[in-house]
Amino acid sequence: MHLPQRQLGLRIENMVTEYTATARAHSNIAFIKYWGNRDSGIRLPANSSLSMNLAALHSTTSVTWSDALEEDRLLINDEPAVPAALLRVSAHLDTLRAELRSTLHADVSSHNNFPMGAGIASSASAFAALTLAATAALGMRLSERELSLLARRGSGSAARSIPTGFVEWHAGSADKDSYAESIASPDYWPLEDVIAVISRDHKHVGSTMGHATANTSILQRVRVETAADRLLSAIHAILARDFEALAPVVEEDSNLMHAVMMTSKPSLFYWLPKSLRVMLAVQEWRRQGLQVCYTLDAGPNVHCICGAQDAAVVAARLKELDPDIEVIRSAVGGGAQLLTANDRTD
Amino acid sequence: MHLPQRQLGLRIENMVTEYTATARAHSNIAFIKYWGNRDSGIRLPANSSLSMNLAALHSTTSVTWSDALEEDRLLINDEPAVPAALLRVSAHLDTLRAELRSTLHADVSSHNNFPMGAGIASSASAFAALTLAATAALGMRLSERELSLLARRGSGSAARSIPTGFVEWHAGSADKDSYAESIASPDYWPLEDVIAVISRDHKHVGSTMGHATANTSILQRVRVETAADRLLSAIHAILARDFEALAPVVEEDSNLMHAVMMTSKPSLFYWLPKSLRVMLAVQEWRRQGLQVCYTLDAGPNVHCICGAQDAAVVAARLKELDPDIEVIRSAVGGGAQLLTANDRTD
């Protein structure tokens, strides 16, 4: 009987040694954005950031280390990945191999339940799940902090998909103190992210390239210098469950990041006309009394952060505004979870 | 025979003394923007700015000072002006009365040949024409610099509608050294402004109010600090007739001003979804080889600055993009002109 490798766990057969594990991590939406690195080689960010995990959006990633492999392999949603994606995952596996003192190659299979590359951070959930699965397969049970540090090396925002709920990523000053931790659990404040999916197209400039352009904007320095103030305001607003205090700082921070993007050289526009239409509508709905504010990552989709009581109304209004807009709703999500490792189910 | 007062010139009749003049001034579009004041009382700007006069868009303003008037009167396009407009014009007439040592009131009639309040600076051409007509009616023949200084007090950008062609407004450090002067005549470089009129609605927040919010954005300081560099780049590009050098600095400066607006408290969005659609199209057309770049004032209309040889193509493409977009084309305009004064026609 032939079983897919990832279901086999630890196996010794014909002298092939395999170690396998599967993990799941959620996407996250940043309230205070990560944009630009102090050290891009290790993804040491220019500023601390803050996000909310998204329960409805996740990556499930299986990793099988095997001495029968001569190179790393990567399937995304059951399809062989494009070379650029394999290269990036393989580079992250190199980081993990160095950390774990391993020379094995890995077979990686990742499934996202949401569209990739449209401003919903698939790399965050994917690299968080990859980091957890890859380390657990080799029997390492790392602390949340260690996992967050390692996930960061693969994709900056993946650091924030390791801890649960509302998450702060401490910029730190070196590899070993740049990690994320939870400031509140998912049930602390039942916000919802009502995502207006404006486009499923792959974004024209990926985040990794985008980060590298941040310093070409004259606005990046002041965005970074003032980020700690906004972070503190946002944390206070979350801990006080104060939507009126949270909304303006979330929108300001999103506008600041996009202002940096637009004034980079060359200029980067992630907003589409429909994005702006939704943003202006959200501002109007808030003036009318709904608990809703917008934020956009490096893509055209508009994340409408809502008080849970208003999420259904916001979702309905988005469809009224434009029936072509696909709406995805997500509650606050938990941290990265190990699903199976070497025949054990956690 | 009854003649309209403004055609009468100096007249003494039943002991009524009247002084009248008519002037015309063009609108202008800023390449380096004016946004925010160092001293709002005298409209001393935060930074020097640069613009191009627009031949096709003008205000024609007649002023009759009369000792028979007990208060100032204002017609705009033959309709009595709303109280706010009259108050603003009357405040400017106060400035002129103080300067001219006059106690007369004035009858003002102004005609614009373009929609007001939709991002085409009607106040610039109107206050430039008003300043010239009002001073000329009283027999004052002020220098261009004096006129520019005085026009600035009525509406900052009006300072730039006094000189001809391509115009630099020196921010200065006090009332007496904040004025505009021409850096090149209209025929020096035959650019065109192809304006995509997105909306004729009156803008929701007027420029005067908007300027007052500029300092609430954390981005205003860096925009102002770096404006002189962009101004110099733009002047060099104009003098060298170098469109490739001009385009990125014009777009960057526009994006910077709108970034300041969006991150002001409360945030100001002048862009509409259609504005963004045109901006993105303009960037694409430039990549395809057309000499075109965009800039937006405090309104949703997109000014497509074109090399003259590409203006017709850009106008046609705007209509293809959206037939509802009204397109206005304008060559580079001259300075403010006196049309008639006290029976003399200049």
Side-chain angles (χ1 to χ4, degrees), chain A residues 2 4 9 18 32 40 51 62 75 91 100 123 132 143 149-150 168 183-184 189 214 246 259 272 288 292:
Chain A
H2 180 74
E18 294 191 336
I32 303 298
S40 61
S51 60
S62 297
L75 296 179
L100 304 171
S123 67
L132 178 53
S143 68
L149 280 168
L150 283 174
E168 177 183 2
I183 64 157
W189 193 13
L246 183 65
L272 289 176
Q288 293 169 5
V292 58

Side-chain angles (χ1 to χ4, degrees), chain A residues 35-57:
Chain A
W35 192 247
N37 289 307
R38 207 182 319 183
D39 181 340
S40 61
I42 59 168
R43 299 182 198 270
L44 190 66
N47 61 281
S48 297
S49 56
L50 183 75
S51 60
M52 166 177 125
N53 283 340
L54 299 176
L57 305 175

